[in-house]
C-alpha cells in the first residue's frame, strides 16, 4: 500500500500486553473513517525530524504493527492520550510498504463461535460479535469435521485445543520458527513452554493446506492457511495472548 507524504506513522514503545489491548481498542473505536493502517513487514520509511523541513528527513525502519494514519488532517494518532505509548513521525515523502487497513472488513464485527480465550480477547478489543460477519473467531467445543467443513475456506482465527474429539498431548520445550519477519512472530521472545497441544495429524485437511509458523520443539503450535491468511492455534495458554492479538489484527 502507498503511504502519502504528511501521513503520521507511529511505532509502539515499551507497551505491555494490557496496554497494547487497550490501545488497539481505543484506535478501533476512534477510527470511524477507516484511516488507520498497519504495517505487516519491517519497512523503511522516510520521516521528518525536528519540524517540517524536508532537509531534516531520515529513513527509519518501522516494525510490523506500526500504525499509519493516512489523511493529512490526522487526528486519531496525534491525540495526546496515545502519545505516551507511541513514537510518531510525519512521513517525508510518498512511500510503498506492505500493509493493510486496521479493519479491512470496514466495521468492528466478527462472527464468534464458542466462548474460549479468543472470544474473550475479541470482546476486550471492543469487536462486535455478529452472525453475518465474513471473519470468524472460533474457540468452542466443535468436532474436527465440523470445523474443517465450515471454516477452512473462510477467514478465521481458531483455537482447536478445546475441540471435543481432540486428545491433547503434553509438550515441553523451546519455541522455534523459521520465518522471523512474519507479523505474528517479529520481535517476540522464544521462551521454553509446557502446554497441551492438539496433534496436527488429527486434522486431515488442515495438515495438508496449513503452513506451520511456530513449533514447540518438533510439534506445530500455530498454523497459517496461506490461501486466506487464517491462523490456527493447536494449543493455548496465557503466554500466547499477544500472538492471538496479532492474529486477530492480521486476519481482520
Amino acid at each position: 500500500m502507498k503511504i502519502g507524504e504528511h501521513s503520521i506513522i507511529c511505532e509502539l514503545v515499551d507497551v505491555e500486553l494490557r496496554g497494547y489491548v487497550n490501545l488497539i481498542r481505543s484506535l478501533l473505536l476512534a477510527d470511524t473513517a477507516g484511516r488507520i493502517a498497519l504495517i505487516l513487514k519491517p519497512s523503511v520509511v522516510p520521516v521528518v525530524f525536528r519540524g517540517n523541513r524536508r532537509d531534516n528527513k531520515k529513513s527509519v525502519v518501522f516494525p510490523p504493527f506500526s500504525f499509519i494514519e493516512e489523511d493529512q488532517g490526522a487526528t486519531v494518532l496525534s491525540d495526546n492520550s496515545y502519545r505516551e505509548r507511541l513514537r510518531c513521525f510525519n512521513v517525508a515523502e510518498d512511500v510503498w510498504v506492505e500493509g493493510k487497513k486496521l479493519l479491512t472488513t470496514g466495521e468492528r464485527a466478527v462472527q464468534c463461535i464458542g466462548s474460549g480465550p479468543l472470544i474473550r480477547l475479541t470482546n476486550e478489543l471492543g469487536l462486535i460479535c455478529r452472525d453475518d460477519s465474513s471473519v470468524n473467531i472460533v474457540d468452542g467445543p466443535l468436532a474436527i469435521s465440523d470445523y474443517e467443513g465450515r471454516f477452512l475456506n473462510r477467514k478465521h482465527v481458531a483455537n482447536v485445543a478445546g475441540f471435543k474429539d481432540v486428545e491433547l498431548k503434553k509438550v515441553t520445550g523451546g519455541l522455534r520458527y523459521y520465518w522471523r519477519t512474519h507479523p505474528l512472530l517479529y520481535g517476540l521472545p522464544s521462551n521454553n513452554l509446557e502446554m497441551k497441544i492438539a496433534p496436527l495429524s488429527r486434522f486431515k485437511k488442515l495438515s495438508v493446506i496449513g503452513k506451520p509458523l511456530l513449533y514447540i520443539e518438533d510439534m506445530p503450535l500455530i498454523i497459517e492457511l496461506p490461501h486466506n491468511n487464517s491462523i490456527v492455534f493447536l494449543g493455548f495458554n496465557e503466554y500466547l495472548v499477544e500472538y492471538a492479538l496479532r492474529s486477530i489484527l492480521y486476519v481482520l
Side-chain angles (χ1 to χ4, degrees), residues 173-177 189-193 195 214-217 221 239-240 243:
L175 293 177
R176 297 192 298 112
Y177 52 83
S190 299
N191 294 343
N192 288 338
L193 286 184
M195 61 186 304
L214 188 67
Y215 298 80
I216 296 182
E217 296 301 328
L221 176 58
Y239 181 84
L240 297 177
Y243 291 92

Side-chain angles (χ1 to χ4, degrees), residues 19-31:
Y20 192 13
V21 172
N22 291 337
L23 172 63
I24 298 300
R25 179 184 177 91
S26 298
L27 291 176
L28 288 170
L29 291 171
D31 185 27

Side-chain angles (χ1 to χ4, degrees), residues 9-208:
I9 183 167
C10 303
E11 64 173 316
L12 293 166
V13 181
D14 297 327
V15 178
E16 295 182 353
L17 180 60
R18 177 50 49 195
Y20 192 13
V21 172
N22 291 337
L23 172 63
I24 298 300
R25 179 184 177 91
S26 298
L27 291 176
L28 288 170
L29 291 171
D31 185 27
T32 55
R35 294 194 301 265
I36 302 294
L38 299 173
I39 286 179
L40 293 179
K41 288 189 176 179
S43 302
V44 178
V45 178
V47 299
V48 177
F49 277 66
R50 297 183 299 277
N52 296 316
R53 294 176 52 190
R54 290 181 61 85
D55 56 354
N56 286 330
K57 73 177 181 179
K58 181 179 180 180
S59 293
V60 176
V61 178
F62 289 89
F65 295 102
S66 296
F67 300 97
I68 305 156
E69 188 165 18
E70 299 177 277
D71 287 2
Q72 293 188 16
T75 57
V76 176
L77 290 176
S78 58
D79 189 285
N80 288 333
S81 63
Y82 305 123
R83 283 293 189 176
E84 62 185 23
R85 291 170 284 178
L86 298 169
R87 187 168 70 116
C88 298
F89 302 91
N90 290 324
V91 177
E93 60 188 51
D94 293 355
V95 64
W96 288 88
V97 301
E98 184 164 338
K100 56 173 282 185
K101 291 287 188 179
L102 183 58
L103 281 179
T104 55
T105 56
E107 55 184 326
R108 296 185 293 113
V110 294
Q111 184 171 358
C112 301
I113 295 90
S115 57
L118 291 186
I119 305 300
R120 293 194 292 272
L121 178 59
T122 296
N123 293 332
E124 289 181 24
L125 290 171
L127 296 170
I128 300 167
C129 290
R130 203 170 69 193
D131 290 343
D132 62 348
S133 175
S134 61
V135 177
N136 300 268
I137 309 297
V138 182
D139 197 348
L142 278 70
I144 293 176
S145 59
D146 188 16
Y147 164 70
E148 291 192 327
R150 292 172 56 193
F151 296 106
L152 288 187
N153 290 323
R154 303 181 187 179
K155 290 180 70 68
H156 68 280
V157 181
N159 171 22
V160 305
F163 283 12
K164 57 188 178 183
D165 51 353
V166 168
E167 184 175 344
L168 301 179
K169 179 179 179 180
K170 187 176 180 178
V171 181
T172 302
L175 293 177
R176 297 192 298 112
Y177 52 83
Y178 302 104
W179 190 1
R180 65 177 61 248
T181 60
H182 192 282
L184 265 64
L185 309 175
Y186 187 90
L188 292 180
S190 299
N191 294 343
N192 288 338
L193 286 184
E194 179 180 297
M195 61 186 304
K196 293 181 178 180
I197 298 178
L200 181 58
S201 59
R202 290 285 291 118
F203 297 79
K204 293 181 180 180
K205 294 180 181 179
L206 179 63
S207 62
V208 171

